[in-house]
Amino acid sequence: GDVVVANTAFKGFKMRHVVLSGVSAVEGAGHLIYGEGAFRGCPNLVTVECDEWLATIGINVFRDCTALTTFGGAEGLKSIGDGAFAGCTSLTAFDIPGQVETVGAEVFSGCTSLARVTVPDSVTSLGSGVFAGCSSLADVSLGRGLARIESGWFPATIAANATLKIAGSGTTVISPSAFKGCTMRKLVLSGVSAVEGPGHIIYFEGAFQGCPNLEVVETDGCLKDLGINVFRGCTNLVSFTGATAVTNIHDGAFRDCSALAAAVLPATLETIGESAFENCTSVRSVEIPNATTAIGRYAFWSCTSLTNLSLGSGWRLIEADRFPSDAEGLDTLTVRGTGDVVVANTAFKGFKMRHV
């Protein structure tokens, strides 16, 4: 129950199977100079079986075990050290045991066959580059223990049909550029309160900006805030559903999402930022809810397929440069006021609608 396998103890050995029973720790290097693990570079190693005694997997322990396909047991595992499974190019799936709390940097880096990974609710910390170079990822689930989803955890290029599932705690935040340019097809967010734009105005880059294959985003009532440029340039995005409690859609959030046919705005929405839906050329109908009190310039600019536009009673001063004057098919403009709404100078000058 307290046996420890020391640094480089079996490095490069040719065995096919490892069975660990009553071993509490498989150590990585105790000193930065070494950076080498107990079973590093075992070229024939296919399976590793552990029991509940194993609590720690250290630095680079199974790194470059290129034949490794199975790691089983380890129900008592608490931490996985930096680079522990990096370069295990035959590993196709990994369910991190349900008691693990910390997963170090580059743990699965270069696992080019890894297609499915599950991070349980117990994990509160993932290191930088933890899935870097995992180009075959198709099914990724992140648990509720992560308070913040950081950039640099995943590669931009993963399987074209991939699904990313993030199950937050209700207050989980996704950081700027966390999945920028990622090639997944579907995104499922639950328990995520905010998808942030940049913390500094210089960047103007969003969490999912420019994801070329992203078609479907499903979320829930926890989502309150869509940050700057969050989905900007997701040119294949056709469906965004479930965001029933969003209060703010910030600048450029859906800009250049040219396949998006409907801008479904929840009744809770208070502000729409500048260029939030600019150049969404497939959007046909927009209904601004009564809760919305502010709409930024160019919010729906160049939405040239717009046929129906309805404005709620919360926007008291309806200003120019918010909606497209070049929407040739615009049929009806509806303005719902409460007696004190004002339409500003030239607000709809030259518009093509048939009915007001």
Side-chain angles (χ1 to χ4, degrees):
D2 57 356
V3 171
V4 174
V5 181
N7 303 340
T8 71
F10 299 98
K11 182 182 178 185
F13 274 50
K14 304 299 192 294
M15 65 275 185
R16 295 185 66 244
H17 308 288
V18 167
V19 180
L20 302 176
S21 176
V23 174
S24 63
V26 181
E27 291 188 335
H31 195 285
L32 284 173
I33 292 174
Y34 299 114
E36 297 171 347
F39 298 93
R40 181 172 182 170
C42 294
N44 302 328
L45 184 60
V46 176
T47 65
V48 177
E49 298 176 15
C50 310
D51 63 10
E52 70 277 3
W53 285 103
L54 187 65
T56 302
I57 297 177
I59 297 170
N60 294 333
V61 165
F62 297 103
R63 189 177 191 121
D64 298 328
C65 293
T66 54
L68 184 65
T69 60
T70 304
F71 179 84
E75 290 87 356
L77 192 64
K78 297 291 187 182
S79 65
I80 303 175
D82 297 352
F85 295 93
C88 294
T89 53
S90 296
L91 200 62
T92 59
F94 201 98
D95 294 326
I96 296 174
Q99 303 303 314
V100 171
E101 297 172 0
T102 62
V103 179
E106 300 183 5
V107 165
F108 299 99
S109 175
C111 293
T112 53
S113 298
L114 189 64
R116 180 179 60 79
V117 65
T118 301
V119 178
D121 294 344
S122 59
V123 174
T124 59
S125 174
L126 291 178
S128 63
V130 60
F131 297 104
C134 295
S135 54
S136 297
L137 282 173
D139 188 350
V140 180
S141 297
L142 302 182
R144 292 175 172 82
L146 297 166
R148 192 176 187 90
I149 313 297
E150 300 287 359
S151 60
W153 286 355
F154 293 88
T157 302
I158 59 177
N161 64 339
T163 296
L164 170 64
K165 296 185 283 291
I166 300 175
S169 61
T171 58
T172 299
V173 173
I174 299 177
S175 297
S177 303
F179 298 94
K180 184 179 179 183
C182 190
T183 54
M184 69 223 171
R185 188 191 70 84
K186 184 177 180 180
L187 173 65
V188 180
L189 302 176
S190 62
V192 174
S193 64
V195 181
E196 291 189 334
H200 195 285
I201 200 167
I202 291 173
Y203 298 113
F204 278 101
E205 296 171 346
F208 300 94
Q209 183 174 348
C211 293
N213 300 330
L214 186 61
E215 296 179 5
V216 177
V217 177
E218 298 175 1
T219 185
D220 63 7
C222 286
L223 188 63
K224 301 295 191 296
D225 199 274
L226 288 170
I228 297 171
N229 293 333
V230 166
F231 295 103
R232 181 173 180 169
C234 295
T235 54
N236 282 306
L237 183 64
V238 296
S239 176
F240 181 87
T241 60
T244 56
V246 168
T247 57
N248 301 293
I249 299 177
H250 290 287
D251 299 354
F254 293 93
R255 184 173 180 174
D256 300 326
C257 293
S258 53
L260 192 65
V264 180
L265 306 177
T268 55
L269 186 64
E270 297 173 5
T271 64
I272 302 172
E274 290 191 8
S275 301
F277 293 90
E278 183 176 350
N279 206 34
C280 291
T281 53
S282 297
V283 168
R284 297 181 59 81
S285 180
V286 172
E287 183 169 345
I288 308 295
N290 292 332
T292 303
T293 59
I295 301 176
R297 293 186 71 189
Y298 312 122
F300 296 91
W301 208 249
S302 297
C303 293
T304 52
S305 296
L306 200 62
T307 59
N308 288 286
L309 174 60
S310 179
L311 308 182
S313 60
W315 195 27
R316 301 300 175 84
L317 177 60
I318 299 174
E319 299 170 286
D321 297 332
R322 269 61 180 173
F323 301 97
S325 61
D326 54 349
E328 296 289 343
L330 184 59
D331 183 74
T332 302
L333 167 66
T334 302
V335 179
R336 302 186 307 275
T338 57
D340 56 354
V341 170
V342 174
V343 181
N345 300 343
T346 71
F348 299 101
K349 182 180 178 182
F351 273 52
K352 308 295 194 300
M353 64 274 186
R354 295 179 63 242
H355 308 286
V356 172

